[in-house]
Amino acid sequence: MNQALARPKSERRRHDREIIALAVPAFGALVAEPLFVMVDSAIVGHLGTAQLAGLGIAAALLSTAVSVFVFLAYATTAAVARRVGAGDLPSAIRQGMDGIWLALLLGLAVIAVTLPAAPWLVDLFGASGTAAPHATTYLRISSLGIPAMLIVLAATGVLRGLQDTRTPLYVAIAGFAANALLNVALVYGAGLGIAGSAWGTVIAQCGMAAAYLLVVVRGARRHGASLRPDAAGIRASAQAGVPLLVRTLSLRAILMIATAVAARLGDADVAAHQIILSLWSLMAFALDAIAIAGQAIIGRYLGAGDTEGARKVCRRMVEWGIASGLVLGALIIVARPLFVPLFTADPTVKDTLLPALLAVALVQPIAGVVFVLDGVLMGAGDGPYLAGAMVLTLAAFAPVALLVPALGGGLTALWWAMGLMMTVRMLTLWLRARSGHWLVTGATR
């Protein structure tokens, strides 16, 4: 009897150690990414308001372009982890190389579009006459780093699939430090202005891509995996990524609708909304770190044919998601008096923000479950279901959100609509996880 009780406890501890070992470094790497833009903003901000405004527009365009291709990391993680679970490391690395080649091709295509279209894209975002030239300069130069950024995404997926989240953390820290030093040297030392900031970021991104490629190439040579591009493998990687692309675009559409609705509510509401989005992104990093651990672990279990192990670790990660959401929600409520003054001194914005933050706090346990199950199903390679579920969520959210201004609701009502969106996501993901249809074993799905 005591042995029977001890076994589940030891299993939970083993799962906990594995989740922590993957999630903590993943969280560090995720947090390091937005610091690139923060450093650029801090340095360019001293050049003038027009330069900073131009940077803000260009950075928004670049982050949108790169986030659309985040499937390069997700799909590669799942595919590599399955082959690791099946004990076929050469095939795992070969699959990773296919993802990297796809990233390079997509990056070159984005450059081909962005370079000539940069002025039009900047105008589309409503840049002022003084900010537009700076935005165009930064966008054109920084677009040269997009292939490196996409290679970093794909290579990060390779290492996560190989159950390594420490190397991405080290590379992210080194890239952040290099970016800061290069920006200072080129913007002020070389007197290049905003162009120097863009070149510094491009050089740092290329350095990060080179570091990842060095690690992956070494692994390929050690295990005898081919480095040459394989048309069939690249095509398979692209096909696996399409459903995740649909999922990502649907999620971006939800966030864009929410921002558009907030803008219609008034200046105080949209200002408060932007503050909440910043906090939402920070909390998402914590929850996404657990999801990343889920992608890697679930893929490995299914590759090894261990459906029972996959079920057990899924349950444990859901418990982690709920606990993390409760902690984050409590932190929002307790720390409101401390962090709100950091963002605004406007009493109208504060009055608008505080009740909306309560809605955000109460939704965090639901968000914890959503992020975890999202990661579990990604690790299982269940992209088509995730795409359909997100399109359904978008269809449920859009009319409710658009009714908020019509019914006289404010920002709090909008964020309750966001809570509804997360609840719909949780239900669709929970039903799939409960069904067991995602438990497809083998080195490939």
Side-chain angles (χ1 to χ4, degrees), residues 121-171:
L121 291 170
V122 168
D123 287 340
L124 188 65
F125 263 60
S128 67
T130 54
H134 300 297
T136 302
T137 297
Y138 191 93
L139 181 59
R140 277 181 165 158
I141 296 172
S142 291
S143 68
L144 300 177
I146 287 179
M149 296 167 74
L150 299 190
I151 287 171
V152 166
L153 283 177
T156 300
V158 176
L159 295 180
R160 289 173 181 170
L162 293 170
Q163 318 296 296
D164 175 11
T165 56
R166 289 182 178 273
T167 300
L169 173 60
Y170 301 148
V171 174

Side-chain angles (χ1 to χ4, degrees), residues 247 251 279-291 317-329 332 359-375 390 415 418-427 429:
R247 168 200 167 276
L251 181 57
L279 294 169
W280 184 274
S281 298
L282 181 61
M283 292 180 291
F285 288 140
L287 298 175
D288 203 27
I290 303 172
M317 280 189 288
V318 168
E319 292 170 0
W320 268 77
I322 294 171
S324 300
L326 287 170
V327 170
L328 291 172
I332 291 172
V360 173
L362 293 175
V363 169
Q364 288 312 297
I366 295 173
V369 176
V370 167
F371 274 80
V372 165
L373 290 181
D374 209 36
M390 190 59 81
W415 275 94
M418 290 287 283
L420 173 65
M421 178 272 293
M422 294 301 289
T423 302
V424 172
R425 285 188 71 187
M426 183 182 70
L427 289 174
L429 297 172

Side-chain angles (χ1 to χ4, degrees), residues 321-370:
I322 294 171
S324 300
L326 287 170
V327 170
L328 291 172
L331 283 173
I332 291 172
I333 294 172
V334 172
R336 279 186 304 171
L338 299 176
F339 67 75
V340 169
L342 297 176
F343 288 97
T344 181
D346 187 329
T348 306
V349 175
K350 286 183 179 180
D351 291 342
T352 305
L353 180 64
L354 293 176
L357 279 175
L358 179 61
V360 173
L362 293 175
V363 169
Q364 288 312 297
I366 295 173
V369 176
V370 167

